[in-house]
Amino acid sequence: MNVSSDTQPAAAIRLLAISGSLRRASHSTAVLRHMATLLPADVQQRLFTLEEIPPYDGDLDGPQPPAAVAELKDAIAQADGLVICSPEYNYGMPGVLKNAIDWASRPAFASPLKGKPALVITASPGALGGVRAQGQIRDALAATLARPLSRPHVAIPLIASRFQDGQLSDATTLEMLQAALADLLAEIRLLAAARG
């Protein structure tokens, strides 16, 4: 379920990357893997996949949730910030991503998502880059008391054309991702400084 793409064995900042797609050849997952190569030396990224997260069931929601859910919540708790990259399905976020957010949002008002800075990225073969899904993801995160970054949306249109030989190569997209990562890291450092 869970694939690590760590850039350094020890890091001052830990990011958790979550893809909204389960596809083996997912462009969203590929974007997250490439982002790990853009990180400074003192930042580590761990990629977490969602295929083992069961459908949310309130009867299973308690101090001992399903193992995959416990692993997700622990990974979020250990991270300083989140990077979510998702496709758009039928004008909205994929069900697997909404399901994971629902699990991670528990217990209400005291979940591991509370106060967690989050960079939201969408990628789509369409011309709008998944902006409708972006809005849904940001709203769902805000409802959990997470902190989706207040910045211009990162929505990558025509996603397949941004890759060459399996590598993200489009200069404009890379610049946009680097700027977004810089904003996320600045937010994390600001929060850490405020906590003392």
Side-chain angles (χ1 to χ4, degrees):
M1 124 160 355
N2 176 1
V3 181
S4 285
S5 56
D6 299 338
T7 55
Q8 293 287 329
I13 294 178
R14 294 161 297 182
L15 301 180
L16 185 69
I18 300 173
S19 174
S21 175
L22 301 181
R23 290 179 59 240
R24 216 172 311 159
S26 161
H27 285 114
S28 294
T29 306
V31 167
L32 292 172
R33 285 196 173 111
H34 187 86
M35 287 182 74
T37 70
L38 304 177
L39 296 171
D42 65 338
V43 180
Q44 181 181 60
Q45 176 178 292
R46 176 183 180 190
L47 178 63
F48 198 100
T49 58
L50 302 177
E51 65 269 5
E52 292 182 21
I53 304 294
Y56 179 79
D57 180 345
D59 290 339
L60 302 177
D61 180 11
Q64 294 184 318
V69 172
E71 187 180 356
L72 171 65
K73 292 169 85 168
D74 182 63
I76 293 170
Q78 297 301 318
D80 299 301
L82 306 177
V83 183
I84 297 172
C85 187
S86 178
E88 178 179 284
Y89 294 163
N90 299 315
Y91 291 5
M93 79 168 105
V96 294
L97 180 56
K98 177 61 164 63
N99 181 60
I101 292 171
D102 289 345
W103 271 118
S105 72
R106 308 293 299 158
F109 309 111
S111 81
L113 287 169
K114 183 178 180 180
K116 198 72 62 172
L119 169 61
V120 179
I121 301 164
T122 49
S124 168
L128 298 180
V131 291
R132 290 164 291 211
Q134 172 115 192
Q136 286 186 359
I137 297 165
R138 294 169 68 86
D139 285 348
L141 289 171
T144 73
L145 304 181
R147 298 170 59 103
L149 289 191
S150 179
R151 70 175 315 282
H153 288 358
V154 182
I156 309 170
L158 310 171
I159 185 63
S161 69
R162 311 297 177 179
F163 285 82
Q164 186 171 359
D165 299 324
Q167 299 297 314
L168 188 59
S169 58
D170 179 69
T172 301
T173 301
L174 291 170
E175 287 173 14
M176 182 169 58
L177 292 174
Q178 285 176 315
L181 275 173
D183 287 348
L184 175 61
L185 297 176
E187 177 79 359
I188 291 169
R189 291 183 177 113
L190 188 65
L191 288 173
R195 286 191 297 263

